Amino acid sequence: MATAPEEALRNVPIFSGLSDEDLERLGRQMKERRFAEGADVTAEGAGAVGFFVIIEGNATVSVAGEVRATLGPGDYFGEIALIDEGTRSASITAATDILAYGLTAWEFRPFVEEHPQVAWVLLQTLTRRLREAQAHEHTH
């Protein structure tokens, strides 16, 4: 039996400040997506598809063919391309079969505008990723 989106979303740190009502609303908007092991979830340089939260499974994040990170249940991706409407900053590949829930840019943006606490967590995540990227540049 698959978990209802809002149950899965409750365990996602970015949404931890939301009320049950908000989680249910968000869950209703999100679409279930499945990716088979080895599949490209997103490709570096491709247009933004949406914001995704991983519910089950793991994925690898690579930049210029070099693995930079691993994502697992509760992790999310796609927020950078959603915010600046630019291309994907990394390639994400399914390391195992993945169950994820996704939102399009036009669904995600109004939700974040109505829930500033989500925006704040996004900012913290973006800042951490930026610092990691800068540290990576200095070591090469």
Side-chain angles (χ1 to χ4, degrees), residues 14 112 115-127:
I14 186 176
V112 172
H115 302 88
Q117 68 273 39
V118 172
W120 187 249
V121 180
L122 276 176
L123 282 171
Q124 291 173 318
T125 303
L126 290 172
T127 304

Side-chain angles (χ1 to χ4, degrees), residues 11-31:
N11 300 321
V12 177
I14 186 176
F15 299 132
S16 62
L18 297 179
S19 68
D20 289 351
E21 190 182 335
D22 287 338
L23 279 172
E24 279 175 31
R25 215 173 93 226
L26 184 63
R28 280 197 299 273
Q29 286 184 291
M30 296 188 102
K31 308 274 182 291

Side-chain angles (χ1 to χ4, degrees), residues 3-16 23 53-55 73-75:
T3 321
E6 59 271 15
E7 284 304 314
L9 296 175
R10 185 169 282 120
N11 300 321
V12 177
I14 186 176
F15 299 132
S16 62
L23 279 172
V53 176
I54 296 175
I55 305 305
D75 289 327

Side-chain angles (χ1 to χ4, degrees), residues 34-137:
R34 291 181 183 274
F35 302 95
E37 183 179 339
D40 286 337
V41 179
T42 69
E44 194 174 342
V49 185
F51 169 84
F52 290 95
V53 176
I54 296 175
I55 305 305
E56 294 168 11
N58 296 293
T60 55
V61 180
S62 53
V63 177
E66 184 184 332
V67 174
R68 294 278 179 90
T70 304
L71 302 176
D75 289 327
Y76 52 88
F77 57 89
E79 77 286 354
I80 296 173
L82 279 188
I83 291 166
D84 69 3
E85 294 170 11
T87 58
R88 293 287 181 185
S89 55
S91 295
I92 298 178
T93 308
T96 64
D97 288 351
I98 290 178
L99 165 62
Y101 289 118
L103 269 183
T104 60
W106 57 91
E107 291 168 322
F108 188 62
R109 185 173 175 171
F111 184 84
V112 172
E113 286 171 349
E114 287 169 33
H115 302 88
Q117 68 273 39
V118 172
W120 187 249
V121 180
L122 276 176
L123 282 171
Q124 291 173 318
T125 303
L126 290 172
T127 304
R128 189 177 71 243
R129 290 183 184 175
L130 179 64
R131 286 184 192 278
E132 286 168 1
Q134 288 171 333
H136 189 83
E137 284 169 16

